[in-house]
Amino acid sequence: MSGRSKRESRGSTRGKRESESRGSSGRVKRERDRERETEAPSSRGSPVRVKREVEPVSAREAPTPVVPAVRVKREREADEDSEPEREVRAKNGRVDSEDRRSRHCPYLDTINRSVLDFDFEKLCSISLSHINAYACLVCGKYFQGRGLKSHAYIHSVQFSHHVFLNLHTLKFYCLPDNYEIIDSSLEDITYVLKPTFTKQQIANLDKQAKLSRAYDGTTYLPGIVGLNNIKANDYANAVLQALSNVPPLRNYFLEEDNYKNIKRPPGDIMFLLVQRFGELMRKLWNPRNFKAHVSPHEMLQAVVLCSKKTFQITKQGDGVDFLSWFLNALHSALGGTKKKKKTIVTDVFQGSMRIFTKKLPHPDLPAEEKEQLLHNDEYQETMVESTFMYLTLDLPTAPLYKDEKEQLIIPQVPLFNILAKFNGITEKEYKTYKENFLKRFQLTKLPPYLIFCIKRFTKNNFFVEKNPTIVNFPITGQANGMNYKTSR
């Protein structure tokens, strides 16, 4: 045998012996570790413990079986699993402490209810964003966000204002600690932000004329409260306040469930008009307001948007034009149509009439030619059935001259005199740029609530003139003498 082969055989036998010795020493070490674990109790105090009997010497000297190793492995896993249990308990302890802070917030006495005003648009005063808006209950300003570097967080640190209200979820939070506040004393704030009415409360609105007291001590009657004139929106305020006192319309919009499930096409902005009108109605009839007046800011913002700036806050408008547009827009946004589908608006305000129209010859024509034209079909009287939401009443012409005492007497006229326009007999001439027409009106169906618009302003080429004639309204029913052929 060569020297090289001898060295290789010696190397292989030496490696075999070293591996056997390492295996036996490792086995002995593992056995000693197992004996220590069975004799000494675990320092971790695990609730899981594997019961093990002391093995005889012969068994310890025997080759190590597989089962005890698996048992020891399970025992170690049980000891390791006890740590997460301790972490869960600690975590539960932290949750309990947060809940304890939620119910015992030390900053509730810093809330200033006299500065809270939820009538304005819900957007951040810095970023002008509607998303995730919060109201600071100390100064009344709106801020966005609640996390680190958000406007609400920075405001709380900079000014030490700690109590905030999410304007969408109606939840209260303490910043910068960032925990939710749970306290029943804050319910009056959420009710002012979003008033709600039950069916029983709505049914009793007209039965109980009870004065309410605002936070500043002033008393007011719910439903009869002032609307703020932001700049030049008094024409819209008058219409909104009148509509808020029509019981069927009021009862419909006080309960949000009546219209919140109405389906509208994607991207439709007109439904915003319905939502804002409902919110304004609930604020006007809220018996727990902080102040005795309401700002229609959000309602008017929706009017400006939906009318495409036809009616604005900063510019005077015509109340009759606004009423006509608003009722028709409200009817359309609720899913109504011109003929088939009705809504609460048409059920309350829509009536019908017959309109008789006759074309007149030109006044400059000779008399003989006028008589010939009157026999033509074009100049015969026609009748059209029409619906209406309100009736326009015309006043008699005001006197132009003063009396003997050099004073202008303001004329007075009874309401029934100007209502004679709709008795089906009285005729009135209407002039256009080219033609003249003679019209008479006959009411065929009266709505439950009739709206009169008295036309006081006439516009000529130079200025707008107001008719100061006083219209006398009857206190008791005196309509027996009126010759109206109406049917409900």
Side-chain angles (χ1 to χ4, degrees), residues 239-251:
V239 173
L240 295 173
Q241 209 159 26
L243 294 177
S244 68
N245 284 275
V246 179
L249 190 72
R250 173 201 66 194
N251 296 349

Side-chain angles (χ1 to χ4, degrees), residues 317-370:
D318 185 79
V320 179
D321 294 342
F322 174 72
L323 173 69
S324 177
W325 172 84
F326 184 72
L327 290 179
N328 285 285
L330 209 59
H331 170 68
S332 176
L334 289 170
T337 57
K338 287 185 177 180
K339 294 183 178 180
K340 293 183 178 180
K341 195 170 181 181
K342 294 187 175 182
T343 61
I344 185 65
V345 179
T346 54
D347 291 341
V348 173
F349 297 116
Q350 191 178 72
S352 61
M353 68 169 70
R354 294 191 185 105
I355 303 175
F356 299 90
T357 307
K358 184 191 296 184
K359 186 177 179 182
L360 297 177
H362 197 278
D364 296 337
L365 293 176
E368 295 179 358
E369 191 174 349
K370 286 183 183 179

Side-chain angles (χ1 to χ4, degrees), residues 176-191:
D177 296 342
N178 199 10
Y179 61 84
E180 184 181 352
I181 302 173
I182 302 172
D183 198 289
S184 59
S185 66
L186 303 175
E187 290 179 359
D188 61 332
I189 299 177
T190 56
Y191 193 84

Side-chain angles (χ1 to χ4, degrees), residues 84-102:
E85 288 180 6
R86 203 173 289 123
E87 290 178 5
V88 169
R89 285 196 297 271
K91 189 175 181 181
N92 290 336
R94 286 197 297 273
V95 171
D96 293 340
S97 66
E98 285 182 3
D99 186 65
R100 199 159 44 247
R101 285 191 301 172
S102 298

Side-chain angles (χ1 to χ4, degrees), residues 2-30:
S2 63
R4 184 176 179 182
S5 60
K6 286 181 181 180
R7 283 195 300 272
E8 287 177 355
S9 62
R10 280 199 300 270
S12 62
T13 53
R14 191 183 301 115
K16 219 178 264 185
R17 290 196 197 99
E18 288 175 359
S19 62
E20 288 175 358
S21 63
R22 281 197 301 269
S24 60
S25 62
R27 194 180 302 115
V28 172
K29 187 175 181 182
R30 285 197 300 272

Side-chain angles (χ1 to χ4, degrees), residues 62-339:
T64 306
V66 179
V67 177
V70 174
R71 191 179 299 143
V72 171
K73 184 177 180 181
R74 287 177 181 169
E75 189 178 75
R76 287 175 180 171
E77 289 176 356
D79 287 339
E80 291 172 358
D81 289 342
S82 64
E83 290 297 326
E85 288 180 6
R86 203 173 289 123
E87 290 178 5
V88 169
R89 285 196 297 271
K91 189 175 181 181
N92 290 336
R94 286 197 297 273
V95 171
D96 293 340
S97 66
E98 285 182 3
D99 186 65
R100 199 159 44 247
R101 285 191 301 172
S102 298
R103 298 185 181 276
H104 298 86
C105 180
Y107 302 110
L108 294 183
D109 58 344
T110 63
I111 297 175
N112 187 3
R113 285 172 170 79
S114 61
V115 300
L116 299 183
D117 190 352
F118 301 119
D119 294 341
F120 292 96
E121 199 171 2
K122 309 298 188 296
L123 50 82
C124 176
S125 58
I126 298 175
S127 64
L128 302 180
S129 172
H130 295 268
I131 302 172
N132 205 17
Y134 288 80
C136 175
L137 301 185
V138 182
C139 64
K141 296 179 181 178
Y142 296 166
F143 298 97
Q144 185 183 17
R146 198 174 81 239
L148 293 174
K149 298 182 180 180
S150 65
H151 298 299
Y153 185 93
I154 294 171
H155 176 76
S156 68
V157 174
Q158 187 174 2
F159 295 96
S160 296
H161 294 175
H162 300 288
V163 188
F164 290 80
L165 168 63
N166 189 308
L167 297 172
H168 302 287
T169 64
L170 306 184
K171 291 183 178 181
F172 297 88
Y173 293 93
C174 180
L175 297 181
D177 296 342
N178 199 10
Y179 61 84
E180 184 181 352
I181 302 173
I182 302 172
D183 198 289
S184 59
S185 66
L186 303 175
E187 290 179 359
D188 61 332
I189 299 177
T190 56
Y191 193 84
V192 169
L193 174 59
K194 191 175 182 180
T196 54
F197 292 83
T198 62
K199 292 183 181 295
Q200 186 64 32
Q201 289 174 332
I202 294 173
N204 294 332
L205 283 177
D206 295 326
K207 299 177 183 178
Q208 300 175 353
K210 185 179 178 182
L211 288 173
S212 298
R213 187 176 295 275
Y215 184 76
D216 57 0
T218 57
T219 57
Y220 67 96
L221 190 64
I224 314 297
V225 296
L227 287 175
N228 291 353
N229 188 10
I230 300 171
K231 190 167 185 182
N233 57 285
D234 47 350
Y235 71 97
N237 288 358
V239 173
L240 295 173
Q241 209 159 26
L243 294 177
S244 68
N245 284 275
V246 179
L249 190 72
R250 173 201 66 194
N251 296 349
Y252 180 85
F253 281 97
L254 285 181
E255 193 172 356
E256 193 176 3
D257 294 338
N258 290 330
Y259 56 85
K260 71 177 183 180
N261 295 323
I262 294 177
K263 294 182 180 179
R264 299 296 299 168
D268 178 47
I269 62 171
M270 296 304 292
F271 194 71
L272 184 65
L273 209 63
V274 177
Q275 293 175 325
R276 294 290 180 259
F277 187 61
E279 291 172 4
L280 179 64
M281 197 77 75
R282 288 188 288 273
K283 288 178 180 178
L284 287 172
W285 286 91
N286 182 9
R288 295 158 57 183
N289 269 328
F290 286 167
K291 54 190 183 304
H293 57 88
V294 174
S295 176
H297 186 266
E298 284 188 296
M299 176 74 237
L300 295 175
Q301 290 278 36
V303 167
V304 173
L305 179 65
C306 296
S307 68
K308 298 179 180 178
K309 297 185 179 180
T310 303
F311 303 100
Q312 299 186 25
I313 302 174
T314 58
K315 186 179 178 182
Q316 281 289 348
D318 185 79
V320 179
D321 294 342
F322 174 72
L323 173 69
S324 177
W325 172 84
F326 184 72
L327 290 179
N328 285 285
L330 209 59
H331 170 68
S332 176
L334 289 170
T337 57
K338 287 185 177 180
K339 294 183 178 180

